Amino acid sequence: MTDVEPIKCDLCVIGSGLAGMAAALFAANRGLSVVQMGHTGEIIFASGMLDLLGVYPVNEKRSWSEPWAALDTLMRDNPEHPYARLKEADIRAAFDEILTFLAETGITYHRNIDHNSGVLTSLGTIKTTYAVPHTMWNGVKALKEKPACLIIDIRGLKGFSARQIVAALNAGWSNLRSARISFPGMDHLNEVYTEHMANALLLPHNREKLAGVVRPLLKDSKIVGLPAILGLYRTHEVLSQLEERIGVPVFEIPTIPPSVPGLRLKEAFERGLRPQGVRYFSLTRALNVRQKVEGQFETQIGRDAVEHIVHSRGIILASGRFIGGGLQAGRKHIRETIFDLPVYQPDSRRDWHHRDFLDSRGHLINQAGLEIDDAFRPLDDTGRPAFETLFAAGSILAHNDWKRLKCGAGLAIASAFGAVKSFVD
Ligand SMILES: Cc1cc2nc3c(=O)[nH]c(=O)nc-3n(C[C@H](O)[C@H](O)[C@H](O)COP(=O)(O)OP(=O)(O)OC[C@H]3O[C@@H](n4cnc5c(N)ncnc54)[C@H](O)[C@@H]3O)c2cc1C
């Protein structure tokens, strides 16, 4: 069914991954009326950590403890990278605004403002990142101080091995131990899922039971690491109750996707943006978009058939890459799925990937995406902005290779900031 009256707004945000959510927040905070649509996107697969810039240049695999110095170098060397369209002050302001919003929704992040931090992963490797969920922060400190530490894994949980973590780190962290437990009430299951355990821990009596299983295993350990399951919401309450009952600090270790910290982010944005007036149509897509007159777009949205029509002065295209659905790889070409905008890509499919998956140069397909101007407007075939008020943000942008540079969330947040700023100006 189609609404008789089109919904009128200032800005239509296509996409509800991290870039779309950040764009909706920045726009609402600046007094714009916003309509947003999209499916889940990559956000629920993400670890919950917010990377700014961890590695540069890719072929040297140089890891940086000072992300702002890394950014400075990247911006100088690589003017095509979307970060180079922004000033450092804007990227800092974007992070401040997002982290303040998340804290208000109950998800506190910690960071060393000018430094990256190391976070222990489920493989026993150390991930360099910038902003860390508060549930993982004790782990950041433990990695530096190396106290006696117990890592717990859970029978039936795939992709998480406390023994592997300990084996990987024991050389430099001798008093690290592992133990395996059954999650209370799930010991009869062959396979257990992080979301189910996180849900169970919303109930205080399940936290009591979990603490009761962990406490006897503690021995001389001064801190305990668990898979990231400490509640889908109310993580402060879950963490502090577990710490009190177990008797030592506790931290989360990110798991393989789908990830509870990613789900928390998604839920926090949805919950927090509603009171800001953002009208979000979840599980819908932009089916068709056209420009009615200069400066006014009509976007038809729905699941399969048109359910609503949105009239907006501008659009932010945050539709992601291949997983999100913003780019589609055909047999020969990569195309942009909504406006059919030109996509920067290698001339031939043969050049999408190097032969070696781990090639230190990275793969050219990861550079594919939309070329933009300094205002984050996608360019047409002539190199001019395709539309005066169409902006793009997030992983759909060309030249970003976020996976290798370790800049996924930072790029999404900063480019959304740049796009909204350009629209407002
Ligand atoms: C496994 C994994 C782990 C990650 N870990 C980290 C990490 O540790 N740190 C970090 O910083 N980053 C991490 N990231 C990256 C981070 O999540 C991404 O950079 C970020 O999600 C990209 O966001 P995006 O909004 O640009 O795209 P996406 O998240 O892909 O979102 C695209 C959105 O566009 C929507 N869309 C597409 N087509 C349409 C349409 N026609 N109409 C309406 N909506 C549409 C989709 O439904 C979706 O909502 C990880 C990502 C993955 C996949």
Side-chain angles (χ1 to χ4, degrees):
M1 201 191 85
T2 308
D3 274 357
V4 181
E5 277 297 305
I7 304 164
K8 291 198 172 65
C9 65
D10 295 313
L11 194 62
C12 175
V13 176
I14 301 180
S16 52
L18 195 50
M21 293 298 192
L25 174 72
F26 295 138
N29 278 354
R30 281 150 192 77
L32 302 179
S33 53
V34 181
V35 171
Q36 184 184 18
M37 72 227 56
H39 288 251
T40 304
E42 292 185 4
I43 200 168
I44 62 156
F45 300 116
S47 63
M49 292 174 265
L50 305 179
D51 302 351
L52 174 55
L53 183 58
V55 174
Y56 183 79
V58 165
N59 57 358
E60 289 174 21
K61 292 204 177 102
R62 179 171 172 197
S63 180
W64 291 74
S65 63
E66 296 179 354
W68 302 105
L71 261 172
D72 198 41
T73 310
L74 176 143
M75 287 170 171
R76 233 180 311 117
D77 293 359
N78 187 355
E80 290 187 311
H81 192 283
Y83 267 147
R85 316 259 173 202
L86 293 153
K87 294 192 169 55
E88 181 184 313
D90 285 337
I91 304 174
R92 285 185 184 270
F95 261 92
D96 289 348
E97 198 168 328
I98 287 282
L99 297 185
T100 302
F101 164 82
L102 289 172
E104 283 164 5
T105 66
I107 303 201
T108 315
Y109 273 80
H110 290 287
R111 59 182 166 154
N112 291 310
I113 293 254
D114 289 323
H115 287 91
N116 279 325
S117 293
V119 174
L120 188 57
T121 73
S122 59
L123 297 173
T125 55
I126 297 174
K127 176 176 163 63
T128 301
T129 190
Y130 182 58
V132 180
H134 78 98
T135 48
M136 297 179 191
W137 192 244
N138 284 330
V140 171
K141 288 191 270 180
L143 255 182
K144 283 193 209 139
E145 294 159 13
K146 313 254 186 315
C149 175
L150 176 66
I151 308 282
I152 297 280
D153 71 19
I154 296 170
R155 223 161 261 125
L157 178 62
K158 297 270 189 284
F160 191 100
S161 162
R163 278 174 63 185
Q164 183 177 338
I165 295 174
V166 170
L169 292 176
N170 244 172
W173 193 347
S174 57
N175 42 9
L176 189 65
R177 287 189 305 112
S178 68
R180 173 166 287 194
I181 61 164
S182 292
F183 191 86
M186 299 189 186
D187 32 359
H188 59 293
L189 300 173
N190 290 332
E191 201 166 325
V192 295
Y193 301 100
T194 51
E195 311 92 288
H196 296 169
M197 293 185 278
N199 244 336
L201 289 178
L202 292 177
L203 301 175
H205 70 265
N206 286 331
R207 298 173 209 158
E208 293 281 355
K209 285 187 194 160
L210 177 62
V213 176
V214 172
R215 203 172 35 234
L217 304 170
L218 206 54
K219 297 186 182 152
D220 61 346
S221 298
K222 302 282 182 277
I223 186 164
V224 170
L226 282 161
I229 56 167
L230 303 187
L232 276 177
Y233 336 87
R234 305 205 297 271
T235 50
H236 286 277
E237 188 187 307
V238 177
L239 181 65
S240 65
Q241 195 182 348
L242 279 176
E243 290 184 329
E244 194 186 303
R245 297 292 191 272
I246 295 173
V248 296
V250 168
F251 64 95
E252 281 187 329
I253 299 168
T255 60
I256 58 168
S259 102
V260 165
L263 285 165
R264 281 181 203 140
L265 265 182
K266 164 103 178 135
E267 192 278 334
F269 273 112
E270 285 182 16
R271 186 161 35 87
L273 288 175
R274 219 171 296 134
Q276 309 257 32
V278 173
R279 215 163 151 193
Y280 173 45
F281 293 99
S282 77
L283 303 179
T284 61
R285 294 186 308 122
L287 300 172
N288 188 26
V289 187
R290 66 190 176 113
Q291 190 172 49
K292 292 189 71 190
V293 288
E294 178 76 30
Q296 190 179 96
F297 288 99
E298 178 173 286
T299 307
Q300 300 182 336
I301 66 174
R303 289 169 175 81
D304 297 315
V306 179
E307 293 168 36
H308 305 280
I309 290 175
V310 180
H311 286 177
S312 63
R313 290 197 290 117
I315 289 184
I316 293 197
L317 183 62
S319 48
R321 294 171 60 79
F322 304 106
I323 298 178
L327 299 181
Q328 196 176 55
R331 288 184 67 79
K332 292 194 171 156
H333 291 110
I334 300 165
R335 55 179 288 272
E336 187 279 315
T337 55
I338 300 174
F339 293 87
D340 204 14
L341 293 161
V343 174
Y344 168 82
Q345 58 190 291
D347 289 337
S348 152
R349 188 186 169 117
R350 272 201 311 276
D351 302 326
W352 286 4
H353 298 97
H354 296 295
R355 278 186 166 275
D356 178 3
F357 179 69
L358 297 175
D359 194 301
S360 62
R361 293 166 293 177
H363 301 287
L364 286 181
I365 194 165
N366 296 325
Q367 303 283 350
L370 303 182
E371 302 261 30
I372 47 168
D373 69 359
D374 283 344
F376 287 85
R377 290 179 300 188
L379 305 180
D380 66 15
D381 287 324
T382 68
R384 285 192 289 264
F387 300 93
E388 193 57 30
T389 56
L390 172 68
F391 305 85
S395 58
I396 195 171
L397 301 178
H399 312 290
N400 77 69
D401 201 0
W402 64 263
K403 258 188 221 120
R404 282 190 163 68
L405 293 171
K406 307 246 176 292
C407 69
L411 176 87
I413 292 166
S415 58
F417 189 89
V420 171
K421 193 172 175 207
S422 298
F423 178 64
V424 172
D425 290 350

